[in-house]
């Protein structure tokens, strides 16, 4: 019913203000219960260089590289741990992952491939005489500096075993 003193309610903002807010944020926290099929908000955040904390199911979880672009969580305690350790995520890696895999150029090539398939009639067995590669299906992963110690994930994992 009341907003805590340390929280500032912004309300609805336009595209430009949203870009500014996301770029200045430490992270985007998206603990959705909705089984979202893609998660455009996650991609928008990553394009801003802002790490994300998501559930580990649905589109947001599929587009969030655990330990690279943010953390995937299942419980409140895991979200709390991830928020306290968000400094381990490199903003450059977030932007690189999103740009290389979800830019208009990359997605445009995927749609072009799909529409060319439709134009010729979808047929599993029909050869494509123009095929020279399957580049549109390639995912590109960011280079990271391995700021996250390997045993950190093991410690995190074993502490949560019932």
């Amino acid at each position: 019913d009341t907003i805590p003193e340390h929280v500032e309610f912004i309300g609805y903002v336009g595209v430009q203000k949203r870009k500014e807010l996301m770029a200045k944020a430490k992270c985007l926290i998206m603990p959705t219960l909705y089984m979202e099929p893609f998660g455009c908000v996650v991609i928008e955040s990553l394009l801003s260089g802002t790490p994300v904390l998501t559930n580990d199911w649905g589109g947001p979880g599929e587009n969030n590289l655990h330990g690279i672009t943010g953390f995937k969580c299942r419980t409140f305690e895991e979200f709390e741990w991830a928020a306290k350790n968000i400094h381990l995520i490199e903003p450059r890696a977030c932007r690189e992952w999103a740009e290389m895999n979800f830019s208009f150029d990359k997605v445009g090539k995927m749609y072009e491939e799909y529409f060319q398939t439709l134009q010729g009639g979808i047929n599993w067995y029909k050869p494509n005489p123009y095929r020279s590669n399957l580049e549109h299906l390639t995912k590109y992963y960011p280079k990271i500096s391995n700021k996250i110690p390997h045993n950190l994930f093991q410690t995190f994992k074993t502490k949560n075993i019932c």
Side-chain angles (χ1 to χ4, degrees), residues 111-155:
Y111 274 107
E112 183 179 343
E113 174 78 19
Y114 177 69
F115 290 134
Q116 285 179 355
T117 302
L118 289 178
Q119 188 177 21
I122 296 176
N123 186 328
W124 177 263
Y125 299 102
K126 185 177 177 183
N128 179 346
Y130 306 107
R131 164 93 45 232
S132 62
N133 63 55
L134 294 174
E135 184 65 24
H136 65 286
L137 297 172
T138 302
K139 290 281 188 194
Y140 295 93
Y141 295 89
K143 297 176 184 99
I144 57 170
S145 65
N146 291 328
K147 288 193 322 187
I148 301 176
H150 178 70
N151 65 348
L152 185 62
F153 288 121
Q154 188 60 37
T155 302

Side-chain angles (χ1 to χ4, degrees), residues 1-155:
D1 292 335
T2 60
I3 298 173
E5 287 183 25
H6 68 280
V7 174
E8 177 185 355
F9 179 73
I10 305 279
Y12 175 81
V13 295
V15 174
Q16 200 56 38
K17 181 68 173 174
R18 188 171 61 240
K19 283 182 185 180
E20 179 186 320
L21 291 168
M22 281 188 163
K24 291 180 179 178
K26 290 189 187 270
C27 71
L28 169 76
I29 302 173
M30 191 174 172
T32 182
L33 296 176
Y34 171 64
M35 186 61 81
E36 189 166 346
F38 182 72
C40 290
V41 173
V42 169
I43 303 305
E44 189 174 13
S45 181
L46 296 174
L47 282 168
S48 298
T50 303
V52 295
L53 306 181
T54 64
N55 295 90
D56 69 343
W57 57 80
E62 289 179 20
N63 295 322
N64 182 9
L65 302 176
H66 185 73
I68 299 172
T69 62
F71 295 107
K72 298 179 189 183
C73 307
R74 293 181 177 175
T75 65
F76 181 80
E77 184 275 330
E78 289 179 2
F79 273 98
E80 185 177 37
W81 179 92
K84 288 177 182 175
N85 289 280
I86 202 65
H87 64 280
L88 298 172
I89 303 300
E90 298 175 19
R92 180 201 47 77
C94 298
R95 178 148 176 97
E96 188 178 330
W97 165 249
E99 265 186 337
M100 296 297 290
N101 295 288
F102 303 104
S103 68
F104 286 125
D105 185 49
K106 172 70 174 183
V107 174
K109 289 176 185 171
M110 295 170 78
Y111 274 107
E112 183 179 343
E113 174 78 19
Y114 177 69
F115 290 134
Q116 285 179 355
T117 302
L118 289 178
Q119 188 177 21
I122 296 176
N123 186 328
W124 177 263
Y125 299 102
K126 185 177 177 183
N128 179 346
Y130 306 107
R131 164 93 45 232
S132 62
N133 63 55
L134 294 174
E135 184 65 24
H136 65 286
L137 297 172
T138 302
K139 290 281 188 194
Y140 295 93
Y141 295 89
K143 297 176 184 99
I144 57 170
S145 65
N146 291 328
K147 288 193 322 187
I148 301 176
H150 178 70
N151 65 348
L152 185 62
F153 288 121
Q154 188 60 37
T155 302

